[in-house]
Amino acid sequence: MRLILSFFFITSLFVQAQNNYPQDYFSAPLEIPLILSGTFAELRSNHFHAGLDIKTQRRTGLKVKASASGYVSRIKISHFGYGKALYIAHPNGYTTVYAHLQKFSPEIESYIKKEQYRKESYEIELFQKAEDLKIQKDSLIAYSGNTGGSGGPHLHFEIRDNAQRPMNPMLFGIDIKDNTNPIIKSLFVYPLKNESFINKNNEKQKLRLTPNAQGDYYAEDIEAIGTIGFGIETIDRQDLAANSNGVYNIQTFLNGSRNFELDFKRFSFTETKHINELIDYEYYIKNKARIQKLFKKNNPLSIIKSVEKDGHITIADSTNSVYKVRVADYKNNESWVTVQIKGSNASKTTPKPTKKTPFYINENQDINLSEGRISVDFYKNTFYEGFYVDFEVKNDTLKLHEDTKAAKKNFSISFDISHYNNQDKNKLYIVRLVGSKNYPTYTYTKRKGDVLIANTKKLGTFALATDTISPTIKPVNFKKGQWLSNYRFLKVKIDDTGSGISKYRATVNGKWILMEYDYKTKTLTHDFNDNVILDTKNNLKIIVTDNVGNNSTFETFFYRK
């Protein structure tokens, strides 16, 4: 039976909280029905999703409208991340953000291209004053696209408060059709102390779930003693999309009293990295499923509303307890899961011994580990808790534990390369070996004299790699000496098989031209509508450099009238 009183109390709190935000101020940024591929605060790799991902019918070029009047306060264009992004500041203190855009409205496009040509850079970030680019509500500001780190055509839309903290846009009346209950995929229980046991076991356990006729769930009964906590894997779906999205609120109850809460209304970008402590990071790395912990341990996330003992549950001998979890979406569709807990000293047994190594990481201290020509520097508060770390060096390869511990901040790995000859030193870089086949992935590498340094948050296996192969440059839609009078775009494909592309530069007749780089297709594109190529015969020169300094030059010529 559900906790009926708690249900009505929770529902009234939701309604009151949601009505504290202006409901008619912001309009939808697209003219089509809103269907989501991503929800606010959805769990993503190393971050919470900061807005709504609105489907654009699998195409680009849809008109994007200003959600409210204001002025363009920021424009940022980058190869990765948000791609082409526009920020509008509004008189009520909020800011709306529109990302992964194909292009801007003609006025804004002209403004930004002038700056790109002035700075000779595709990637650019500009901050505007209130009088520079004023915007009226529902006016055209851009066209939807697939730029940056987008996995497919869509519009990423945010509403931020006056401290630039992203908030759930649905709080402001952005309506999505949703009558579908969240889905609870799995429930785990964790012993939180060495003397805590669950079913005579001192390790986390996955509980079997059984749905009932109402769509709620019962977990298998457990026998426990000591301090325990729970974790849940759950998703939400809207009526018109099959995407696995994030939920809006999770609350837990112990014997009818609220025990813990995750409230996905707002967060700050400075704290989003702590998602890796909210989830069971080791389980995610090994199973690619995100279990959200329903208890707190050294996690400063503001979305965590710790009601009673940070969600930790103490089970005494000869007791019977009922633990419930309520998962809700924004429209207050909900699913519950219930667990019966019997407290019994008979559940105690010998705990599994902790694996110990000669190297212990104390989270409250700076620690240096070194062997041979490789050293690692962990700084104070790099990790959330201390642990024994595997540290092994063989030649130019470092085994640094497994990637099973979430880090708050970067640590430093250094390789002494003084034993290499000078020619080879310039081609060395640090890689992280990933997967069962040890695929080498470039780790941003700095060189100081005869030392290579990489800063990373990832544990794992690292090694030195050599890149002596220059990038490749190939024309896509034209040939040498071709007339391109009727062409709108000039396309060139660039690639690098080693350390990866670092930078590129294109000129025509000695003058810099803007070429947009799409790393997903490895393509550089110039738009002739920029009207900077005015001669009949045009000498094109493109220089591409990889991350260790190898470069290639491509030269050709074409004609235009």
Side-chain angles (χ1 to χ4, degrees), residues 26-32 34 54 62-69 86 88 90 96-98 101 105 135-144 155 157:
F26 296 105
S27 62
L30 294 175
E31 298 173 326
I32 59 173
L34 300 189
I54 305 173
L62 273 63
K63 292 180 179 179
V64 179
K65 304 184 303 178
S67 191
S69 296
L86 187 71
I88 299 178
H90 305 285
T96 50
V97 182
Y98 314 78
L101 303 170
S105 66
I135 300 294
Q136 296 301 314
K137 183 174 183 177
D138 292 331
S139 62
L140 175 69
I141 56 172
Y143 295 87
S144 66
L155 174 67
F157 175 69

PDB file of all heavy atoms in Angstrom, residues 26-32 34 54 62-69 86 88 90 96-98 101 105 135-144 155 157:
ATOM      1  N   PHE A  26       8.578  33.003 -20.775  1.00  0.00           N
ATOM      2  CA  PHE A  26       9.373  32.351 -21.810  1.00  0.00           C
ATOM      3  C   PHE A  26       8.476  31.517 -22.721  1.00  0.00           C
ATOM      4  O   PHE A  26       7.613  30.775 -22.249  1.00  0.00           O
ATOM      5  CB  PHE A  26      10.441  31.449 -21.189  1.00  0.00           C
ATOM      6  CG  PHE A  26      11.460  32.187 -20.376  1.00  0.00           C
ATOM      7  CD1 PHE A  26      11.435  32.139 -18.990  1.00  0.00           C
ATOM      8  CD2 PHE A  26      12.440  32.940 -20.993  1.00  0.00           C
ATOM      9  CE1 PHE A  26      12.376  32.827 -18.235  1.00  0.00           C
ATOM     10  CE2 PHE A  26      13.390  33.631 -20.250  1.00  0.00           C
ATOM     11  CZ  PHE A  26      13.351  33.576 -18.864  1.00  0.00           C
ATOM     12  N   SER A  27       8.695  31.648 -24.018  1.00  0.00           N
ATOM     13  CA  SER A  27       7.960  30.832 -24.979  1.00  0.00           C
ATOM     14  C   SER A  27       8.871  29.742 -25.522  1.00  0.00           C
ATOM     15  O   SER A  27      10.088  29.766 -25.340  1.00  0.00           O
ATOM     16  CB  SER A  27       7.435  31.698 -26.126  1.00  0.00           C
ATOM     17  OG  SER A  27       8.519  32.298 -26.827  1.00  0.00           O
ATOM     18  N   ALA A  28       8.285  28.776 -26.204  1.00  0.00           N
ATOM     19  CA  ALA A  28       9.070  27.689 -26.791  1.00  0.00           C
ATOM     20  C   ALA A  28       9.990  28.235 -27.877  1.00  0.00           C
ATOM     21  O   ALA A  28       9.590  29.098 -28.658  1.00  0.00           O
ATOM     22  CB  ALA A  28       8.146  26.628 -27.364  1.00  0.00           C
ATOM     23  N   PRO A  29      11.225  27.753 -27.980  1.00  0.00           N
ATOM     24  CA  PRO A  29      12.182  28.302 -28.955  1.00  0.00           C
ATOM     25  C   PRO A  29      12.007  27.757 -30.373  1.00  0.00           C
ATOM     26  O   PRO A  29      12.673  28.230 -31.288  1.00  0.00           O
ATOM     27  CB  PRO A  29      13.530  27.883 -28.374  1.00  0.00           C
ATOM     28  CG  PRO A  29      13.236  26.627 -27.637  1.00  0.00           C
ATOM     29  CD  PRO A  29      11.850  26.786 -27.074  1.00  0.00           C
ATOM     30  N   LEU A  30      11.150  26.760 -30.548  1.00  0.00           N
ATOM     31  CA  LEU A  30      10.897  26.200 -31.876  1.00  0.00           C
ATOM     32  C   LEU A  30       9.405  26.267 -32.188  1.00  0.00           C
ATOM     33  O   LEU A  30       8.567  26.269 -31.276  1.00  0.00           O
ATOM     34  CB  LEU A  30      11.374  24.746 -31.956  1.00  0.00           C
ATOM     35  CG  LEU A  30      12.882  24.494 -31.850  1.00  0.00           C
ATOM     36  CD1 LEU A  30      13.164  22.999 -31.814  1.00  0.00           C
ATOM     37  CD2 LEU A  30      13.633  25.149 -33.001  1.00  0.00           C
ATOM     38  N   GLU A  31       9.069  26.268 -33.467  1.00  0.00           N
ATOM     39  CA  GLU A  31       7.673  26.378 -33.896  1.00  0.00           C
ATOM     40  C   GLU A  31       7.003  25.019 -34.065  1.00  0.00           C
ATOM     41  O   GLU A  31       5.832  24.951 -34.413  1.00  0.00           O
ATOM     42  CB  GLU A  31       7.598  27.169 -35.205  1.00  0.00           C
ATOM     43  CG  GLU A  31       8.096  28.599 -35.082  1.00  0.00           C
ATOM     44  CD  GLU A  31       8.189  29.322 -36.412  1.00  0.00           C
ATOM     45  OE1 GLU A  31       8.501  28.664 -37.414  1.00  0.00           O
ATOM     46  OE2 GLU A  31       7.939  30.546 -36.429  1.00  0.00           O
ATOM     47  N   ILE A  32       7.733  23.956 -33.836  1.00  0.00           N
ATOM     48  CA  ILE A  32       7.187  22.603 -33.957  1.00  0.00           C
ATOM     49  C   ILE A  32       6.800  22.099 -32.569  1.00  0.00           C
ATOM     50  O   ILE A  32       7.227  22.656 -31.550  1.00  0.00           O
ATOM     51  CB  ILE A  32       8.215  21.653 -34.593  1.00  0.00           C
ATOM     52  CG1 ILE A  32       9.492  21.604 -33.736  1.00  0.00           C
ATOM     53  CG2 ILE A  32       8.538  22.088 -36.016  1.00  0.00           C
ATOM     54  CD1 ILE A  32      10.507  20.575 -34.189  1.00  0.00           C
ATOM     55  N   LEU A  34       7.042  20.257 -29.183  1.00  0.00           N
ATOM     56  CA  LEU A  34       8.280  19.962 -28.456  1.00  0.00           C
ATOM     57  C   LEU A  34       8.312  18.503 -28.023  1.00  0.00           C
ATOM     58  O   LEU A  34       7.474  18.050 -27.245  1.00  0.00           O
ATOM     59  CB  LEU A  34       8.400  20.873 -27.230  1.00  0.00           C
ATOM     60  CG  LEU A  34       8.442  22.380 -27.505  1.00  0.00           C
ATOM     61  CD1 LEU A  34       8.793  23.128 -26.219  1.00  0.00           C
ATOM     62  CD2 LEU A  34       9.429  22.728 -28.608  1.00  0.00           C
ATOM     63  N   ILE A  54      15.847  19.323 -27.551  1.00  0.00           N
ATOM     64  CA  ILE A  54      14.575  19.291 -28.264  1.00  0.00           C
ATOM     65  C   ILE A  54      14.805  18.699 -29.655  1.00  0.00           C
ATOM     66  O   ILE A  54      15.658  19.169 -30.416  1.00  0.00           O
ATOM     67  CB  ILE A  54      13.980  20.702 -28.379  1.00  0.00           C
ATOM     68  CG1 ILE A  54      13.852  21.329 -26.981  1.00  0.00           C
ATOM     69  CG2 ILE A  54      12.627  20.657 -29.069  1.00  0.00           C
ATOM     70  CD1 ILE A  54      13.434  22.791 -26.998  1.00  0.00           C
ATOM     71  N   LEU A  62      15.938  24.353 -38.813  1.00  0.00           N
ATOM     72  CA  LEU A  62      14.670  24.868 -38.303  1.00  0.00           C
ATOM     73  C   LEU A  62      14.892  26.233 -37.663  1.00  0.00           C
ATOM     74  O   LEU A  62      15.942  26.483 -37.054  1.00  0.00           O
ATOM     75  CB  LEU A  62      14.059  23.917 -37.273  1.00  0.00           C
ATOM     76  CG  LEU A  62      13.179  22.779 -37.812  1.00  0.00           C
ATOM     77  CD1 LEU A  62      13.979  21.827 -38.682  1.00  0.00           C
ATOM     78  CD2 LEU A  62      12.517  22.025 -36.659  1.00  0.00           C
ATOM     79  N   LYS A  63      13.899  27.103 -37.783  1.00  0.00           N
ATOM     80  CA  LYS A  63      14.021  28.434 -37.205  1.00  0.00           C
ATOM     81  C   LYS A  63      14.015  28.348 -35.676  1.00  0.00           C
ATOM     82  O   LYS A  63      13.159  27.709 -35.078  1.00  0.00           O
ATOM     83  CB  LYS A  63      12.871  29.320 -37.666  1.00  0.00           C
ATOM     84  CG  LYS A  63      12.907  29.664 -39.150  1.00  0.00           C
ATOM     85  CD  LYS A  63      11.738  30.553 -39.534  1.00  0.00           C
ATOM     86  CE  LYS A  63      11.792  30.919 -41.012  1.00  0.00           C
ATOM     87  NZ  LYS A  63      10.638  31.773 -41.402  1.00  0.00           N
ATOM     88  N   VAL A  64      14.997  29.019 -35.073  1.00  0.00           N
ATOM     89  CA  VAL A  64      15.083  29.116 -33.612  1.00  0.00           C
ATOM     90  C   VAL A  64      14.687  30.522 -33.211  1.00  0.00           C
ATOM     91  O   VAL A  64      15.248  31.501 -33.719  1.00  0.00           O
ATOM     92  CB  VAL A  64      16.503  28.785 -33.113  1.00  0.00           C
ATOM     93  CG1 VAL A  64      16.577  28.922 -31.593  1.00  0.00           C
ATOM     94  CG2 VAL A  64      16.910  27.385 -33.545  1.00  0.00           C
ATOM     95  N   LYS A  65      13.717  30.629 -32.305  1.00  0.00           N
ATOM     96  CA  LYS A  65      13.183  31.927 -31.893  1.00  0.00           C
ATOM     97  C   LYS A  65      13.682  32.293 -30.499  1.00  0.00           C
ATOM     98  O   LYS A  65      13.941  31.415 -29.666  1.00  0.00           O
ATOM     99  CB  LYS A  65      11.657  31.890 -31.888  1.00  0.00           C
ATOM    100  CG  LYS A  65      11.014  31.475 -33.199  1.00  0.00           C
ATOM    101  CD  LYS A  65       9.503  31.564 -33.103  1.00  0.00           C
ATOM    102  CE  LYS A  65       8.986  30.705 -31.953  1.00  0.00           C
ATOM    103  NZ  LYS A  65       7.517  30.813 -31.803  1.00  0.00           N
ATOM    104  N   ALA A  66      13.777  33.593 -30.247  1.00  0.00           N
ATOM    105  CA  ALA A  66      14.107  34.068 -28.901  1.00  0.00           C
ATOM    106  C   ALA A  66      12.954  33.737 -27.974  1.00  0.00           C
ATOM    107  O   ALA A  66      11.794  34.049 -28.261  1.00  0.00           O
ATOM    108  CB  ALA A  66      14.360  35.566 -28.917  1.00  0.00           C
ATOM    109  N   SER A  67      13.260  33.097 -26.860  1.00  0.00           N
ATOM    110  CA  SER A  67      12.223  32.688 -25.924  1.00  0.00           C
ATOM    111  C   SER A  67      11.623  33.866 -25.169  1.00  0.00           C
ATOM    112  O   SER A  67      10.502  33.787 -24.664  1.00  0.00           O
ATOM    113  CB  SER A  67      12.812  31.675 -24.934  1.00  0.00           C
ATOM    114  OG  SER A  67      11.806  31.073 -24.172  1.00  0.00           O
ATOM    115  N   ALA A  68      12.351  34.985 -25.107  1.00  0.00           N
ATOM    116  CA  ALA A  68      11.851  36.218 -24.471  1.00  0.00           C
ATOM    117  C   ALA A  68      12.726  37.372 -24.978  1.00  0.00           C
ATOM    118  O   ALA A  68      13.809  37.160 -25.530  1.00  0.00           O
ATOM    119  CB  ALA A  68      11.903  36.124 -22.949  1.00  0.00           C
ATOM    120  N   SER A  69      12.252  38.592 -24.777  1.00  0.00           N
ATOM    121  CA  SER A  69      13.013  39.766 -25.205  1.00  0.00           C
ATOM    122  C   SER A  69      14.250  39.955 -24.335  1.00  0.00           C
ATOM    123  O   SER A  69      14.289  39.545 -23.169  1.00  0.00           O
ATOM    124  CB  SER A  69      12.135  41.018 -25.120  1.00  0.00           C
ATOM    125  OG  SER A  69      11.047  40.921 -26.018  1.00  0.00           O
ATOM    126  N   LEU A  86      24.407  30.575 -28.565  1.00  0.00           N
ATOM    127  CA  LEU A  86      23.954  31.955 -28.399  1.00  0.00           C
ATOM    128  C   LEU A  86      23.329  32.112 -27.024  1.00  0.00           C
ATOM    129  O   LEU A  86      22.558  31.252 -26.586  1.00  0.00           O
ATOM    130  CB  LEU A  86      22.927  32.283 -29.483  1.00  0.00           C
ATOM    131  CG  LEU A  86      22.437  33.727 -29.595  1.00  0.00           C
ATOM    132  CD1 LEU A  86      23.553  34.607 -30.138  1.00  0.00           C
ATOM    133  CD2 LEU A  86      21.229  33.792 -30.523  1.00  0.00           C
ATOM    134  N   ILE A  88      21.172  34.816 -24.507  1.00  0.00           N
ATOM    135  CA  ILE A  88      20.362  36.027 -24.457  1.00  0.00           C
ATOM    136  C   ILE A  88      20.047  36.358 -22.996  1.00  0.00           C
ATOM    137  O   ILE A  88      19.485  35.532 -22.263  1.00  0.00           O
ATOM    138  CB  ILE A  88      19.047  35.873 -25.247  1.00  0.00           C
ATOM    139  CG1 ILE A  88      19.347  35.591 -26.711  1.00  0.00           C
ATOM    140  CG2 ILE A  88      18.181  37.118 -25.109  1.00  0.00           C
ATOM    141  CD1 ILE A  88      18.114  35.383 -27.569  1.00  0.00           C
ATOM    142  N   HIS A  90      17.951  38.490 -20.227  1.00  0.00           N
ATOM    143  CA  HIS A  90      16.598  39.038 -20.175  1.00  0.00           C
ATOM    144  C   HIS A  90      16.448  39.996 -18.995  1.00  0.00           C
ATOM    145  O   HIS A  90      17.151  39.854 -17.976  1.00  0.00           O
ATOM    146  CB  HIS A  90      15.589  37.895 -20.077  1.00  0.00           C
ATOM    147  CG  HIS A  90      15.728  36.897 -21.186  1.00  0.00           C
ATOM    148  ND1 HIS A  90      15.303  37.134 -22.466  1.00  0.00           N
ATOM    149  CD2 HIS A  90      16.301  35.656 -21.213  1.00  0.00           C
ATOM    150  CE1 HIS A  90      15.585  36.085 -23.233  1.00  0.00           C
ATOM    151  NE2 HIS A  90      16.194  35.181 -22.497  1.00  0.00           N
ATOM    152  N   THR A  96      18.741  32.833 -21.413  1.00  0.00           N
ATOM    153  CA  THR A  96      18.447  31.632 -22.181  1.00  0.00           C
ATOM    154  C   THR A  96      19.624  31.302 -23.084  1.00  0.00           C
ATOM    155  O   THR A  96      20.347  32.193 -23.543  1.00  0.00           O
ATOM    156  CB  THR A  96      17.172  31.791 -23.023  1.00  0.00           C
ATOM    157  OG1 THR A  96      17.239  33.011 -23.776  1.00  0.00           O
ATOM    158  CG2 THR A  96      15.933  31.814 -22.143  1.00  0.00           C
ATOM    159  N   VAL A  97      19.834  30.009 -23.318  1.00  0.00           N
ATOM    160  CA  VAL A  97      20.967  29.529 -24.096  1.00  0.00           C
ATOM    161  C   VAL A  97      20.444  28.616 -25.204  1.00  0.00           C
ATOM    162  O   VAL A  97      19.574  27.768 -24.962  1.00  0.00           O
ATOM    163  CB  VAL A  97      21.968  28.753 -23.216  1.00  0.00           C
ATOM    164  CG1 VAL A  97      23.179  28.305 -24.023  1.00  0.00           C
ATOM    165  CG2 VAL A  97      22.395  29.599 -22.016  1.00  0.00           C
ATOM    166  N   TYR A  98      20.997  28.775 -26.408  1.00  0.00           N
ATOM    167  CA  TYR A  98      20.597  28.002 -27.577  1.00  0.00           C
ATOM    168  C   TYR A  98      21.874  27.436 -28.195  1.00  0.00           C
ATOM    169  O   TYR A  98      22.754  28.197 -28.605  1.00  0.00           O
ATOM    170  CB  TYR A  98      19.872  28.900 -28.585  1.00  0.00           C
ATOM    171  CG  TYR A  98      18.820  29.796 -27.948  1.00  0.00           C
ATOM    172  CD1 TYR A  98      19.203  30.961 -27.256  1.00  0.00           C
ATOM    173  CD2 TYR A  98      17.470  29.487 -28.000  1.00  0.00           C
ATOM    174  CE1 TYR A  98      18.265  31.774 -26.649  1.00  0.00           C
ATOM    175  CE2 TYR A  98      16.518  30.315 -27.406  1.00  0.00           C
ATOM    176  CZ  TYR A  98      16.925  31.459 -26.728  1.00  0.00           C
ATOM    177  OH  TYR A  98      15.992  32.267 -26.121  1.00  0.00           O
ATOM    178  N   LEU A 101      23.852  25.089 -32.840  1.00  0.00           N
ATOM    179  CA  LEU A 101      23.183  25.780 -33.938  1.00  0.00           C
ATOM    180  C   LEU A 101      23.902  25.555 -35.268  1.00  0.00           C
ATOM    181  O   LEU A 101      25.131  25.409 -35.315  1.00  0.00           O
ATOM    182  CB  LEU A 101      23.111  27.271 -33.638  1.00  0.00           C
ATOM    183  CG  LEU A 101      22.414  27.646 -32.322  1.00  0.00           C
ATOM    184  CD1 LEU A 101      22.625  29.116 -32.010  1.00  0.00           C
ATOM    185  CD2 LEU A 101      20.926  27.309 -32.393  1.00  0.00           C
ATOM    186  N   SER A 105      20.997  34.115 -37.122  1.00  0.00           N
ATOM    187  CA  SER A 105      20.187  34.971 -37.986  1.00  0.00           C
ATOM    188  C   SER A 105      21.121  35.885 -38.784  1.00  0.00           C
ATOM    189  O   SER A 105      22.277  36.107 -38.394  1.00  0.00           O
ATOM    190  CB  SER A 105      19.223  35.801 -37.145  1.00  0.00           C
ATOM    191  OG  SER A 105      19.947  36.722 -36.333  1.00  0.00           O
ATOM    192  N   ILE A 135      17.177  42.000 -28.823  1.00  0.00           N
ATOM    193  CA  ILE A 135      16.363  40.911 -29.349  1.00  0.00           C
ATOM    194  C   ILE A 135      14.931  41.035 -28.831  1.00  0.00           C
ATOM    195  O   ILE A 135      14.712  41.289 -27.637  1.00  0.00           O
ATOM    196  CB  ILE A 135      16.942  39.543 -28.926  1.00  0.00           C
ATOM    197  CG1 ILE A 135      18.365  39.353 -29.451  1.00  0.00           C
ATOM    198  CG2 ILE A 135      16.044  38.397 -29.396  1.00  0.00           C
ATOM    199  CD1 ILE A 135      18.479  39.261 -30.942  1.00  0.00           C
ATOM    200  N   GLN A 136      13.958  40.829 -29.720  1.00  0.00           N
ATOM    201  CA  GLN A 136      12.555  40.808 -29.329  1.00  0.00           C
ATOM    202  C   GLN A 136      12.067  39.364 -29.185  1.00  0.00           C
ATOM    203  O   GLN A 136      12.527  38.465 -29.890  1.00  0.00           O
ATOM    204  CB  GLN A 136      11.700  41.541 -30.368  1.00  0.00           C
ATOM    205  CG  GLN A 136      12.012  43.022 -30.490  1.00  0.00           C
ATOM    206  CD  GLN A 136      11.810  43.774 -29.185  1.00  0.00           C
ATOM    207  OE1 GLN A 136      10.794  43.597 -28.505  1.00  0.00           O
ATOM    208  NE2 GLN A 136      12.789  44.611 -28.826  1.00  0.00           N
ATOM    209  N   LYS A 137      11.137  39.157 -28.288  1.00  0.00           N
ATOM    210  CA  LYS A 137      10.569  37.831 -28.070  1.00  0.00           C
ATOM    211  C   LYS A 137      10.018  37.268 -29.373  1.00  0.00           C
ATOM    212  O   LYS A 137       9.394  37.976 -30.165  1.00  0.00           O
ATOM    213  CB  LYS A 137       9.472  37.894 -27.015  1.00  0.00           C
ATOM    214  CG  LYS A 137       8.849  36.540 -26.667  1.00  0.00           C
ATOM    215  CD  LYS A 137       7.870  36.648 -25.519  1.00  0.00           C
ATOM    216  CE  LYS A 137       7.311  35.293 -25.135  1.00  0.00           C
ATOM    217  NZ  LYS A 137       6.403  35.362 -23.956  1.00  0.00           N
ATOM    218  N   ASP A 138      10.283  35.997 -29.619  1.00  0.00           N
ATOM    219  CA  ASP A 138       9.808  35.234 -30.778  1.00  0.00           C
ATOM    220  C   ASP A 138      10.471  35.656 -32.089  1.00  0.00           C
ATOM    221  O   ASP A 138      10.075  35.189 -33.161  1.00  0.00           O
ATOM    222  CB  ASP A 138       8.287  35.313 -30.921  1.00  0.00           C
ATOM    223  CG  ASP A 138       7.563  34.592 -29.787  1.00  0.00           C
ATOM    224  OD1 ASP A 138       8.139  33.632 -29.246  1.00  0.00           O
ATOM    225  OD2 ASP A 138       6.432  34.999 -29.454  1.00  0.00           O
ATOM    226  N   SER A 139      11.467  36.532 -32.035  1.00  0.00           N
ATOM    227  CA  SER A 139      12.175  36.908 -33.266  1.00  0.00           C
ATOM    228  C   SER A 139      13.181  35.816 -33.632  1.00  0.00           C
ATOM    229  O   SER A 139      13.674  35.071 -32.785  1.00  0.00           O
ATOM    230  CB  SER A 139      12.890  38.244 -33.095  1.00  0.00           C
ATOM    231  OG  SER A 139      13.879  38.160 -32.077  1.00  0.00           O
ATOM    232  N   LEU A 140      13.497  35.734 -34.926  1.00  0.00           N
ATOM    233  CA  LEU A 140      14.459  34.745 -35.403  1.00  0.00           C
ATOM    234  C   LEU A 140      15.859  35.090 -34.910  1.00  0.00           C
ATOM    235  O   LEU A 140      16.333  36.211 -35.082  1.00  0.00           O
ATOM    236  CB  LEU A 140      14.454  34.717 -36.935  1.00  0.00           C
ATOM    237  CG  LEU A 140      15.506  33.820 -37.589  1.00  0.00           C
ATOM    238  CD1 LEU A 140      15.186  32.355 -37.339  1.00  0.00           C
ATOM    239  CD2 LEU A 140      15.590  34.104 -39.093  1.00  0.00           C
ATOM    240  N   ILE A 141      16.515  34.110 -34.274  1.00  0.00           N
ATOM    241  CA  ILE A 141      17.877  34.340 -33.791  1.00  0.00           C
ATOM    242  C   ILE A 141      18.886  33.374 -34.408  1.00  0.00           C
ATOM    243  O   ILE A 141      20.084  33.655 -34.442  1.00  0.00           O
ATOM    244  CB  ILE A 141      17.961  34.246 -32.254  1.00  0.00           C
ATOM    245  CG1 ILE A 141      17.422  32.903 -31.757  1.00  0.00           C
ATOM    246  CG2 ILE A 141      17.230  35.414 -31.601  1.00  0.00           C
ATOM    247  CD1 ILE A 141      17.651  32.653 -30.278  1.00  0.00           C
ATOM    248  N   ALA A 142      18.402  32.210 -34.894  1.00  0.00           N
ATOM    249  CA  ALA A 142      19.336  31.206 -35.406  1.00  0.00           C
ATOM    250  C   ALA A 142      18.559  30.107 -36.115  1.00  0.00           C
ATOM    251  O   ALA A 142      17.315  30.138 -36.184  1.00  0.00           O
ATOM    252  CB  ALA A 142      20.172  30.626 -34.264  1.00  0.00           C
ATOM    253  N   TYR A 143      19.326  29.121 -36.599  1.00  0.00           N
ATOM    254  CA  TYR A 143      18.737  27.922 -37.196  1.00  0.00           C
ATOM    255  C   TYR A 143      19.328  26.699 -36.492  1.00  0.00           C
ATOM    256  O   TYR A 143      20.526  26.659 -36.184  1.00  0.00           O
ATOM    257  CB  TYR A 143      19.036  27.879 -38.697  1.00  0.00           C
ATOM    258  CG  TYR A 143      18.391  29.000 -39.468  1.00  0.00           C
ATOM    259  CD1 TYR A 143      19.045  30.231 -39.609  1.00  0.00           C
ATOM    260  CD2 TYR A 143      17.129  28.856 -40.032  1.00  0.00           C
ATOM    261  CE1 TYR A 143      18.460  31.280 -40.301  1.00  0.00           C
ATOM    262  CE2 TYR A 143      16.534  29.902 -40.723  1.00  0.00           C
ATOM    263  CZ  TYR A 143      17.199  31.109 -40.856  1.00  0.00           C
ATOM    264  OH  TYR A 143      16.605  32.144 -41.534  1.00  0.00           O
ATOM    265  N   SER A 144      18.505  25.722 -36.232  1.00  0.00           N
ATOM    266  CA  SER A 144      18.949  24.547 -35.480  1.00  0.00           C
ATOM    267  C   SER A 144      19.979  23.757 -36.274  1.00  0.00           C
ATOM    268  O   SER A 144      19.979  23.771 -37.509  1.00  0.00           O
ATOM    269  CB  SER A 144      17.759  23.650 -35.142  1.00  0.00           C
ATOM    270  OG  SER A 144      17.205  23.094 -36.336  1.00  0.00           O
ATOM    271  N   LEU A 155      18.064  20.865 -30.871  1.00  0.00           N
ATOM    272  CA  LEU A 155      18.340  22.154 -30.234  1.00  0.00           C
ATOM    273  C   LEU A 155      18.521  21.933 -28.746  1.00  0.00           C
ATOM    274  O   LEU A 155      17.638  21.390 -28.073  1.00  0.00           O
ATOM    275  CB  LEU A 155      17.193  23.141 -30.459  1.00  0.00           C
ATOM    276  CG  LEU A 155      17.328  24.481 -29.715  1.00  0.00           C
ATOM    277  CD1 LEU A 155      18.497  25.290 -30.263  1.00  0.00           C
ATOM    278  CD2 LEU A 155      16.036  25.283 -29.778  1.00  0.00           C
ATOM    279  N   PHE A 157      18.512  23.693 -25.279  1.00  0.00           N
ATOM    280  CA  PHE A 157      17.907  24.929 -24.770  1.00  0.00           C
ATOM    281  C   PHE A 157      18.033  24.974 -23.249  1.00  0.00           C
ATOM    282  O   PHE A 157      17.711  24.012 -22.562  1.00  0.00           O
ATOM    283  CB  PHE A 157      16.433  24.991 -25.166  1.00  0.00           C
ATOM    284  CG  PHE A 157      15.681  26.160 -24.595  1.00  0.00           C
ATOM    285  CD1 PHE A 157      15.946  27.457 -25.013  1.00  0.00           C
ATOM    286  CD2 PHE A 157      14.704  25.966 -23.623  1.00  0.00           C
ATOM    287  CE1 PHE A 157      15.250  28.534 -24.488  1.00  0.00           C
ATOM    288  CE2 PHE A 157      13.996  27.039 -23.091  1.00  0.00           C
ATOM    289  CZ  PHE A 157      14.275  28.328 -23.518  1.00  0.00           C
TER     290      PHE A 157
END
